[in-house]
């Protein structure tokens, strides 16, 4: 049994300890639903610890101690979107832990990330503010985001493309291939057989989970999502065309420079932006 939003939930699938290494907005919620994972487990405390360590407000010993304690309490699938921040420690803790990398094309990932940040324009939780600064080197004020943001702040486009590239490449470089499954975000629904084989569980059980209409909800059930948005964000926020006012040739040059190798490896055809 474990807690999600204060409620005890019994995992429906017993699997070896497995960590998601995908970034936010790459399908963590879908996988959490399929595998009844621990989604964003101890997010507030973990992001705070990582943030303070990077700011040199914590010793390395204190940092490692927290991450190790968190790891020891974890079982099954951890679908938290910040696990990649301490990948080196997770690899040190165990030689048989498995990892799943969800990867999304950099175009739609940037759009989705910025739309997520706009969501917090009326109330900006500290954990989100810290996480944004960890990822993109500087904080972003959600209230100041509009369709001219990337055009007027080109450094953030560079920061986001660099983070996308470095994070995904680090996972591919550091995790042994026999312990890593890579799934493209738009193929998660069709990857049940690959997941089942990788996790050594019957594929029928995974498919039953994914297609379950019984009303059981994952971390972001509709009712929970509505409550969360009412408290933190804007239920009627409008998604923005983030690339509308950017020179397309310059944008493609930046994407090729930072992300070209991985985009060619996993997505082949350049998306029409």
């Amino acid at each position: 049994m474990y807690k999600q939003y204060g409620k005890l939930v019994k995992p429906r699938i017993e699997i070896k300890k497995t960590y998601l290494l995908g970034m936010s907005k790459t399908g963590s919620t879908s996988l959490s639903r399929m595998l009844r994972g621990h989604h964003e487990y101890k997010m507030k405390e973990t992001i705070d610890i990582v943030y303070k360590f990077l700011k040199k407000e914590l010793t390395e010993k204190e940092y490692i101690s927290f991450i190790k304690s968190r790891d020891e309490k974890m079982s099954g699938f951890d679908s938290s979107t910040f696990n990649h921040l301490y990948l080196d420690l997770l690899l040190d803790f165990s030689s048989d832990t498995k990892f799943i990398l969800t990867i999304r094309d950099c175009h739609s990932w940037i759009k989705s990330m910025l739309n997520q940040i706009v969501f917090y324009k009326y109330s900006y939780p500290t954990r989100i503010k810290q996480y944004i600064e960890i990822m993109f080197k500087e904080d972003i004020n959600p209230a100041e985001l509009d369709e001219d943001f990337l055009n007027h702040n080109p450094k953030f486009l560079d920061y986001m493309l660099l983070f996308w590239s470095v994070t995904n490449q680090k996972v591919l470089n550091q995790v042994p291939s026999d312990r890593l499954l890579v799934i493209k975000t738009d193929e998660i629904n069709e990857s049940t057989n690959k997941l089942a084989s990788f996790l050594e569980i019957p594929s029928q059980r995974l498919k039953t989970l994914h297609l379950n209409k019984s009303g059981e909800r994952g971390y972001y059930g509709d009712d929970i999502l509505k409550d969360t948005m009412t408290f933190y964000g804007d239920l009627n926020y409008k998604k923005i065309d983030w690339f509308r006012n950017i020179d397309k040739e310059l944008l493609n040059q930046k994407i090729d420079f930072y992300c070209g190798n991985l985009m060619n490896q996993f997505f082949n055809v350049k998306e029409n932006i």
Side-chain angles (χ1 to χ4, degrees):
M1 303 288 282
Y2 62 90
K3 280 191 175 183
Q4 273 190 351
Y5 279 96
K7 295 182 179 179
L8 285 173
V9 179
K10 183 177 181 179
R12 291 180 288 175
I13 296 180
E14 294 295 330
I15 62 174
K16 295 179 180 179
K17 185 180 293 184
T18 303
Y19 280 98
L20 175 77
L21 296 178
M23 302 178 292
S24 181
K25 312 308 295 181
T26 64
S28 61
T29 303
S30 296
L31 283 179
S32 184
R33 285 173 172 170
M34 292 171 71
L35 299 173
R36 183 57 76 189
H38 305 264
H39 191 60
E40 309 296 33
Y41 177 65
K42 288 187 175 294
M43 181 179 185
K44 181 179 178 180
E45 301 94 324
T46 307
I47 291 297
D48 188 57
I49 287 290
V50 174
Y51 182 83
K52 288 179 177 177
F53 175 67
L54 293 176
K55 292 288 186 180
K56 302 188 184 305
E57 297 175 10
L58 282 180
T59 66
E60 183 176 22
K61 183 177 180 180
E62 291 172 319
Y63 170 63
I64 294 176
S65 176
F66 176 87
I67 301 299
K68 187 172 181 59
S69 174
R70 182 187 184 279
D71 174 76
E72 289 172 346
K73 295 175 183 176
M74 184 60 57
S75 62
F77 181 53
D78 179 357
S79 61
S80 302
T81 59
F82 41 83
N83 288 326
H84 59 84
L85 295 174
Y86 38 85
L87 170 59
D88 55 334
L89 296 181
L90 296 179
L91 288 168
D92 286 343
F93 293 157
S94 173
S95 61
D96 60 358
T97 299
K98 294 188 174 184
F99 301 91
I100 298 174
L101 172 64
T102 47
I103 185 168
R104 181 176 184 170
D105 72 90
C106 62
H107 312 93
S108 65
W109 178 75
I110 287 177
K111 294 175 183 178
S112 187
M113 278 299 304
L114 289 174
N115 281 324
Q116 176 78 356
I117 297 170
V118 169
F119 166 80
Y120 293 106
K121 68 179 181 179
Y122 293 126
S123 182
Y124 198 13
T126 298
R127 68 181 187 282
I128 303 298
K129 184 176 185 296
Q130 290 174 327
Y131 195 15
I132 296 302
E133 190 173 337
I134 290 171
M135 290 191 288
F136 308 140
K137 299 184 180 181
E138 296 183 27
D139 181 31
I140 298 176
N141 184 350
E144 296 178 357
L145 291 181
D146 57 28
E147 63 185 14
D148 287 315
F149 174 74
L150 291 177
N151 189 38
H152 293 160
N153 301 274
K155 63 182 179 181
F156 279 107
L157 177 59
D158 289 85
Y159 291 162
M160 297 183 83
L161 290 171
L162 179 62
F163 183 79
W164 182 93
S165 178
V166 168
T167 300
N168 288 313
Q169 193 63 62
K170 179 181 71 172
V171 172
L172 294 169
N173 289 345
Q174 294 186 12
V175 181
S177 59
D178 62 330
R179 295 168 60 191
L180 177 66
L181 176 65
V182 181
I183 302 177
K184 292 193 285 188
T185 300
D186 62 357
E187 296 179 355
I188 289 176
N189 290 349
E190 293 77 43
S191 298
T192 51
N193 287 334
K194 286 201 300 184
L195 274 165
S197 176
F198 179 70
L199 298 173
E200 302 176 72
I201 58 176
S203 60
Q204 294 83 358
R205 294 177 63 193
L206 192 57
K207 290 178 181 177
T208 300
L209 257 183
H210 186 49
L211 299 175
N212 188 356
K213 304 297 183 183
S214 67
E216 286 193 73
R217 303 182 183 276
Y219 181 83
Y220 283 135
D222 295 338
D223 52 346
I224 293 175
L225 178 60
K226 183 175 180 180
D227 290 343
T228 304
M229 292 182 76
T230 302
F231 185 77
Y232 286 122
D234 180 2
L235 273 170
N236 301 307
Y237 81 105
K238 180 181 178 181
K239 293 186 177 181
I240 296 170
D241 185 355
W242 299 102
F243 297 148
R244 178 179 178 182
N245 296 327
I246 296 180
D247 180 88
K248 297 304 184 290
E249 182 177 354
L250 175 61
L251 177 58
N252 282 326
Q253 288 175 355
K254 286 179 178 288
I255 288 173
D256 285 340
F257 178 75
Y258 289 110
C259 311
N261 289 339
L262 287 175
M263 287 292 288
N264 289 332
Q265 179 179 350
F266 289 99
F267 302 100
N268 297 316
V269 180
K270 183 176 295 183
E271 180 181 310
N272 181 12
I273 55 177

